[in-house]
Amino acid sequence: MPDERMEHDEMGEVRVPAAALYGAQTQRAVENFPISGMRLGREFIRGLGLLKKASAVANARLGTLEPEIASAIGSAAKEVIAGRHDDQFVVDVFQTGSGTSTNMNANEVIAHLASAQSGREIHPNDHVNRSQSSNDVMPSALHVAAVEMLADQLAPGLLELEEGLRRKAQEFAGIVKIGRTHLQDAVPLYLGDEFGGYARQVETARERIRWAGLALLELPLGGTAVGTGLNAPREFGGVAAGLISNWTGHPFREAVNHFEAQAGREGVAMLAGALKTYAVALTKIANDLRMLASGPRCGIGEIRLPAVQPGSSIMPGKVNPVILESTLMVCAQVMGLETAVAWCCAGGQLELNAMLPLMAFDLLEMIRLLAAASRNLQERCIGGISVQQEAIARMTEQSYALATAPSPEIGHAAAAAIAQEAEQTGSSVRAVAQRRTGLSAERLNELLDLRRLAEGG
């Protein structure tokens, strides 16, 4: 059997691997863009398959494609949707800015499959790409992929993490600890309130991302080359969007303005910004937990993280906060990807944004990374956190910040003098206050009641 076969396109002959389902235009792209080895992934390919199937059905309904051909295209597209031919999507992310090469990769694979299954010659452009352009297909595929990933991967991951942090907030509800501002001792609070704050950070991030994702429910499909809808029935975009909505369960709809939908990518930029904002929150949470667990004997040591692997190749018994460190690296990557997405979104000129493949790759990678990191953080770290109650009690009782409590009764200067003497002598605030204030032991105990202080009383 020969290793190659000859294919043709408008530029002439091209040698293609004999077993390939794609054709000449995909092969030219493979040869033209040997850049990174990075490919648009499973979710984007699924989005392309959904668009090609919906387009075939819409074209048949609107009388622009023979029902038999539309049926064959739809059957082939279903195989692409199911992931049976992902290895045939071989074009590098760094390619033509419109993503024409990836769109033609899909057209050629589906045409090849449909032709073999139907016994008819089905053309990548004339049939599979009917009523479409790469300029409306590629952003539409990005929208479909992102919306599905938000719902199927990221939202469950965030909810799992949020609920895990809330469970810890309840578990730690009665544990008073010293607060810290500027990394210095501050007044007491409940450890449960600290974890409740982390849960709320995740909850608000989840809401921001959900709201930002609504912008991607508009599909540019139907605008064809520049937004005018040339060579497509007027109803095409609405019919196709309705089909995709029915198949996915997400309320996709035709873009209100196709010129904006194809040339501008602000909805993508907004979603990327919301994802970055979650990475900012996750960075704060992970760094806090690392500090609270530092030690375990020569650091803060208020909590203990689950030990998941040895931490050192030279120091026996050392255990590091590896899950938190991996989370922080994900956050760093996401922040960098957001910068690339924003740059790509700003890179449109006139009727087209010519940075779409990289924009799509980076946005979907942001979603994928944050979803995986959120689940991993909950499953391998948050759920196993325990409290070091002796360390918490010792540090809380010794903190000079407790001098804040009697300040309203004895004055700020007198309270400051108590804190300074406690620091200089190594005594507790309670002991110094008993000597200096003249307050009864009963009243002093009321003022320095840790639970009252933690509740802001």
Side-chain angles (χ1 to χ4, degrees):
M1 293 290 291
D3 293 333
E4 296 178 323
R5 68 177 192 269
M6 193 68 71
E7 291 278 345
H8 302 76
D9 63 11
E10 58 201 74
M11 295 183 70
E13 295 183 338
V14 182
R15 292 188 180 277
V16 176
L21 300 180
Y22 53 81
Q25 291 202 41
T26 301
Q27 183 62 33
R28 290 190 192 280
V30 169
E31 295 170 2
N32 284 333
F33 308 115
I35 307 298
S36 70
M38 296 157 53
R39 309 281 186 263
L40 288 162
R42 166 88 285 269
E43 295 86 0
F44 191 89
I45 296 169
R46 170 180 159 81
L48 279 174
L50 284 165
L51 287 165
K52 297 303 176 181
K53 180 184 175 185
S55 296
V57 174
N59 278 318
R61 288 186 182 179
L62 298 171
T64 55
L65 198 61
E66 292 180 41
E68 293 82 3
I69 292 178
S71 177
I73 292 171
S75 178
K78 283 178 66 177
E79 296 186 15
V80 171
I81 294 167
R84 291 179 55 185
H85 306 292
D86 286 0
D87 61 336
Q88 297 295 310
F89 287 79
V90 293
V91 180
D92 202 275
V93 164
F94 298 97
Q95 54 167 287
T96 172
S98 62
T100 297
S101 297
T102 291
N103 183 41
M104 284 306 304
N105 193 167
N107 290 335
E108 290 179 343
V109 167
I110 292 171
H112 187 112
L113 291 168
S115 297
Q117 293 168 9
S118 68
R120 300 186 58 173
E121 184 177 352
I122 294 178
H123 195 276
N125 300 83
D126 295 339
H127 299 133
V128 182
N129 202 59
R130 178 69 61 87
S131 304
Q132 305 153 63
S133 163
S134 301
N135 300 351
D136 61 358
V137 166
M138 290 294 286
S140 296
L142 169 56
H143 287 202
V144 171
V147 168
E148 288 201 316
M149 289 180 71
L150 290 176
D152 299 340
Q153 298 181 31
L154 186 56
L158 265 67
L159 186 59
E160 183 179 335
L161 177 58
E162 177 193 334
E163 291 175 344
L165 288 165
R166 290 203 189 283
R167 286 192 293 271
K168 286 298 172 183
Q170 293 172 359
E171 180 183 341
F172 303 153
I175 300 172
V176 181
K177 56 157 285 179
I178 199 66
R180 295 176 181 85
T181 57
H182 302 270
L183 295 182
Q184 304 297 304
D185 293 358
V187 296
L189 76 159
Y190 286 119
L191 181 61
D193 287 340
E194 206 164 35
F195 274 76
Y198 301 149
R200 176 60 177 161
Q201 282 184 277
V202 177
E203 180 184 25
T204 55
R206 183 165 57 84
E207 285 300 307
R208 291 187 194 102
I209 292 167
R210 183 197 65 79
W211 183 81
L214 296 177
L216 301 195
L217 293 172
E218 283 197 12
L219 298 184
L221 194 66
T224 66
V226 298
T228 61
L230 179 68
N231 292 343
R234 185 173 298 276
E235 302 88 350
F236 174 80
V239 173
L243 291 165
I244 295 170
S245 179
N246 290 337
W247 296 337
T248 63
H250 299 291
F252 291 109
R253 59 190 180 275
E254 183 180 6
V256 172
N257 183 300
H258 282 281
F259 301 98
E260 177 275 334
Q262 290 181 211
R265 302 261 56 85
E266 290 83 359
V268 170
M270 183 169 67
L271 176 56
L275 296 169
K276 181 186 77 171
T277 302
Y278 174 47
V280 169
L282 207 53
T283 298
K284 163 66 162 63
I285 294 167
N287 273 328
D288 277 11
L289 296 177
R290 287 174 74 218
M291 283 192 285
L292 293 176
S294 60
R297 293 188 176 180
C298 301
I300 293 177
E302 292 183 350
I303 62 173
R304 184 178 291 274
L305 305 176
V308 296
Q309 67 182 52
S312 174
S313 61
I314 188 173
M315 292 175 280
K318 191 170 189 291
V319 178
N320 294 332
V322 294
I323 302 301
L324 296 173
E325 290 166 355
S326 102
T327 302
L328 288 167
M329 286 188 278
V330 165
C331 292
Q333 180 75 350
V334 165
M335 292 182 200
L337 291 172
E338 190 275 339
T339 299
V341 170
W343 183 262
C344 290
C345 290
Q349 294 91 28
L350 304 177
E351 279 67 58
L352 177 68
N353 184 297
M355 304 280 275
L356 226 149
L358 180 61
M359 180 196 310
F361 182 90
D362 287 349
L363 182 73
L364 301 184
E365 189 69 4
M366 291 174 74
I367 298 171
R368 187 187 340 273
L369 287 171
L370 287 172
S374 298
R375 289 192 303 271
N376 199 54
L377 178 59
Q378 167 54 31
E379 293 169 4
R380 297 182 181 273
C381 181
I382 302 300
I385 291 176
S386 59
V387 178
Q388 303 292 84
Q389 296 203 33
E390 290 185 7
I392 286 178
R394 182 178 64 255
M395 285 187 285
T396 302
E397 183 63 31
Q398 292 297 314
S399 174
Y400 310 137
L402 294 182
T404 306
S407 176
E409 294 199 17
I410 65 175
H412 186 85
I418 290 172
Q420 290 165 0
E421 181 178 335
E423 181 180 7
Q424 292 165 2
T425 63
S427 302
S428 69
V429 165
R430 189 183 301 272
V432 175
Q434 285 176 338
R435 292 196 302 269
R436 296 183 63 122
T437 64
L439 294 171
S440 68
E442 181 180 0
R443 180 56 181 154
L444 193 58
N445 285 337
E446 288 177 0
L447 292 173
L448 295 179
D449 180 73
L450 295 179
R451 289 184 175 275
R452 184 187 71 84
L453 297 176
E455 293 169 3

